[in-house]
Amino acid sequence: MGVLQLPWVHKGGGKVRVTFKDVLNRAYTTLFTDYKLDNLIKMDEQAFYTFLGGFLCNSIDIFDGALTDLSYHSEVIKDENGNDNIEYVFDADLSSKEVYILCLGVALGWYKKALDDVTQFKLHLSSKSFKAYSEQANISKRLERLGAMEEELSEAITAYQLNNFDKLPFFGGA
């Protein structure tokens, strides 16, 4: 994955140019872990970002009340070998809080997909002592975690809006 750059960490708390890759790196390194994705990025970095990019597009769509335009465009960037790569860049500069909320949406989408994965419905534990923890209890805990993640996203968006109350359109903002 190379050196992780943190474009959202800067003095003054202002906004900076952010790429999809920036958001996905932050989400993956701070909010969730998946050994399958670890293997994917080692085998095909572009496939890794394409896969998680779908979750980011969904996160953009569910970020209701964003005060910054979350539209984006593609740019052709040359890699170290001179090959052309497409990179998606947000049109407007984003704050660290906006990036964090997008990361929460990516993590939530990834978790929902993992929860809905039919292969995950079965417990893969063979020891009798582990089988006592039933499939129902397993799914119940996972749904509880999903609810907590959805609540965290909702609370982050609400706090973001309250901290920018003067910028909300209804209250005289943009």
Side-chain angles (χ1 to χ4, degrees):
M1 187 158 71
V3 176
L4 177 64
Q5 296 180 1
L6 306 174
W8 51 85
V9 177
H10 54 299
K11 293 181 181 176
K15 297 185 175 203
V16 294
R17 179 178 184 264
V18 176
T19 66
F20 271 36
K21 203 173 196 178
D22 296 329
V23 176
L24 298 174
N25 283 340
R26 182 171 174 185
Y28 191 64
T29 58
T30 64
L31 296 177
F32 65 96
T33 304
D34 183 334
Y35 73 91
K36 292 178 189 174
L37 290 177
D38 289 344
N39 290 335
L40 179 60
I41 197 169
K42 290 174 189 169
M43 293 183 335
D44 188 343
E45 186 175 335
Q46 188 60 41
F48 172 85
Y49 288 110
T50 299
F51 175 73
L52 287 180
F55 295 115
L56 180 51
C57 289
N58 291 344
S59 180
I60 291 166
D61 289 343
I62 64 172
F63 188 173
D64 292 330
L67 300 175
T68 301
D69 178 20
L70 297 177
S71 61
Y72 55 91
H73 65 278
S74 63
E75 294 181 3
V76 177
I77 309 291
K78 293 232 183 259
D79 67 13
E80 61 275 355
N81 298 327
N83 299 322
D84 288 343
N85 290 317
I86 296 175
E87 188 161 319
Y88 293 94
V89 180
F90 286 94
D91 295 336
D93 293 343
L94 303 179
S95 69
S96 179
K97 180 63 80 175
E98 290 162 336
V99 171
Y100 175 68
I101 291 170
L102 290 172
C103 289
L104 288 175
V106 169
L108 178 63
W110 168 83
Y111 193 83
K112 280 182 177 179
K113 181 166 178 56
L115 184 63
D116 290 340
D117 184 352
V118 74
T119 63
Q120 297 298 316
F121 286 21
K122 299 177 184 174
L123 292 177
H124 298 288
L125 304 171
S126 60
S127 170
K128 287 182 183 181
S129 62
F130 285 119
K131 285 192 178 191
Y133 199 63
S134 72
E135 207 169 314
Q136 177 60 35
N138 183 20
I139 196 76
S140 177
K141 289 293 183 189
R142 294 179 75 190
L143 288 171
E144 188 177 300
R145 174 66 182 133
L146 178 63
M149 291 175 75
E150 290 172 334
E151 188 174 322
E152 182 180 8
L153 176 61
S154 178
E155 287 174 358
I157 291 172
T158 299
Y160 161 79
Q161 290 176 331
L162 289 174
N163 288 331
N164 294 286
F165 199 70
D166 59 327
K167 296 176 187 165
L168 293 172
F170 183 76
F171 298 100

